[in-house]
Amino acid sequence: MSMSALPLFRFGIIADPQYAAIPPHAAMDRHYANSLTKVAEAIVIFNSWDLSFVMTLGDVIDRSFKSFDDILPLYEKLRHEALFLLGNHDFSVSAGHLSEVATRLGMPSPYYSFSRHGWRFIVLDGNEISTFAPPEGHPHRALAAQMLAELEAKGARNAHRWNAALSDAQFAWLGDQIAEAAAAGEKVIVMNHYPVHPPSEHGMWDSERIVALLASHDNVVAYLNGHDHVGNYGKAGACHFVNFKGVVDTESENAFAIVELYPDRLEIRGFGREESRTLVY
């Protein structure tokens, strides 16, 4: 049996531009201001391909709500639909702007789903239970502090303030979406800012329940994320977990990808520092 020659469709991926008009962090090799050039370069490449959409996997900015004013206009040059999800740095803004981030990114809601060509894309808000994204005084902040303290007490490697968890309501919604997709005969790709597998210091606080859910449904093909700028890959059950590299790292090397969906596999075409992969399902 020959592998089919033409993909069903393709989409673009960018992770962690973390743009800000500030000097580089030399020790971490993060070049915040240079992300404008890199995102513009990626958009030129994306415009030369036939894509269904381009997803930016969070951390569009590094800090300051006005940083959005510099980077978001670049996406107006994209001839494809530009989609976003929320990263931790997107909330590195003043308290008065916390509730405006999703709207500023043109998102329909903090988490959402959409279908393309018989596939369902489930977009998570990994920051819902965190010490930084909920409004001041919101119960989710207190719950986050409690979860973090419990993880720290256990010596968990992902016990960091820059990680977070899903609410029980969002986790239930994720399960419902997967079940609805299965009933509709749709394969599923989940997208989130944070990794959940393999376990790492960057992982969601509630990674284990998320991985168990995704690995138990054979229509869930892949989970795509950013957050850990060095990138990563793992597999649990039939689900491929791909952590894309961060644009903000290195002075001039870019990192982005085009994902091609075939009837039997995903082909990830990596550009710059991003790796190319063939993931069979």
Side-chain angles (χ1 to χ4, degrees):
M1 232 179 89
S2 67
M3 283 189 164
S4 73
L6 285 173
L8 306 167
F9 66 106
R10 305 181 178 94
F11 58 90
I13 289 283
I14 310 180
D16 299 70
Q18 276 186 225
Y19 166 75
I22 56 172
H25 189 307
M28 296 180 86
D29 203 14
R30 290 184 182 174
H31 298 260
Y32 308 100
N34 295 9
S35 287
L36 289 187
T37 305
K38 292 181 190 175
V39 170
E41 286 172 357
I43 285 170
V44 169
I45 302 283
F46 289 148
N47 282 346
S48 70
W49 288 77
D50 182 19
L51 305 178
S52 181
F53 60 89
V54 171
M55 172 64 80
T56 302
L57 294 169
D59 284 6
V60 177
I61 58 165
D62 184 78
R63 66 194 73 180
S64 176
F65 197 72
K66 67 178 191 298
S67 295
F68 287 122
D69 297 343
D70 291 339
I71 190 165
L72 289 182
L74 297 178
Y75 287 89
E76 292 167 16
K77 295 202 169 74
L78 187 67
R79 70 177 181 93
H80 313 294
E81 188 174 10
L83 298 174
F84 295 91
L85 57 78
L86 299 166
N88 53 308
H89 280 276
D90 297 313
F91 293 96
S92 299
V93 297
S94 62
H97 285 302
L98 287 172
S99 62
E100 301 169 15
V101 174
T103 307
R104 184 69 185 88
L105 289 167
M107 296 169 58
S109 55
Y111 54 91
Y112 60 99
S113 71
F114 61 94
S115 295
R116 290 284 188 284
H117 309 281
W119 287 66
R120 183 170 304 204
F121 293 86
I122 303 174
V123 183
L124 301 179
D125 172 15
N127 315 276
E128 197 180 11
I129 308 292
S130 68
T131 60
F132 50 81
E136 302 278 352
H138 194 285
H140 283 170
R141 280 205 181 217
L143 179 56
Q146 180 191 332
M147 287 184 78
L148 181 54
E150 287 168 6
L151 286 167
E152 283 171 342
K154 283 196 294 200
R157 56 197 291 206
N158 63 337
H160 296 287
R161 293 181 70 85
W162 29 261
N163 296 327
L166 304 182
S167 68
D168 289 344
Q170 185 179 173
F171 181 73
W173 173 84
L174 171 61
D176 291 344
Q177 285 286 319
I178 292 169
E180 282 176 28
E186 294 175 326
K187 293 198 185 314
V188 168
I189 292 179
V190 179
M191 295 176 168
N192 187 19
H193 180 59
Y194 301 87
V196 291
H197 183 76
S200 78
E201 62 174 13
H202 291 87
M204 296 278 292
W205 294 337
D206 58 341
S207 289
E208 288 174 12
R209 69 173 179 174
I210 298 171
V211 175
L213 175 65
L214 302 184
S216 67
H217 290 84
D218 57 9
N219 65 320
V220 180
V221 172
Y223 175 101
L224 311 180
N225 66 273
H227 191 52
D228 187 352
H229 298 182
V230 298
N232 206 353
Y233 170 79
K235 194 175 184 193
C239 184
H240 298 279
F241 293 81
V242 184
N243 188 148
F244 290 87
K245 296 180 194 290
V247 166
V248 72
D249 289 26
T250 79
E251 187 174 5
S252 58
E253 278 189 281
N254 217 332
F256 58 95
I258 290 173
V259 182
E260 302 183 308
L261 282 76
Y262 291 84
D264 56 351
R265 69 195 188 279
L266 301 184
E267 294 274 356
I268 299 177
R269 288 176 182 263
F271 293 80
R273 291 162 33 245
E274 188 53 65
E275 294 173 47
S276 295
R277 307 174 190 271
T278 298
L279 308 176
V280 175
Y281 60 84

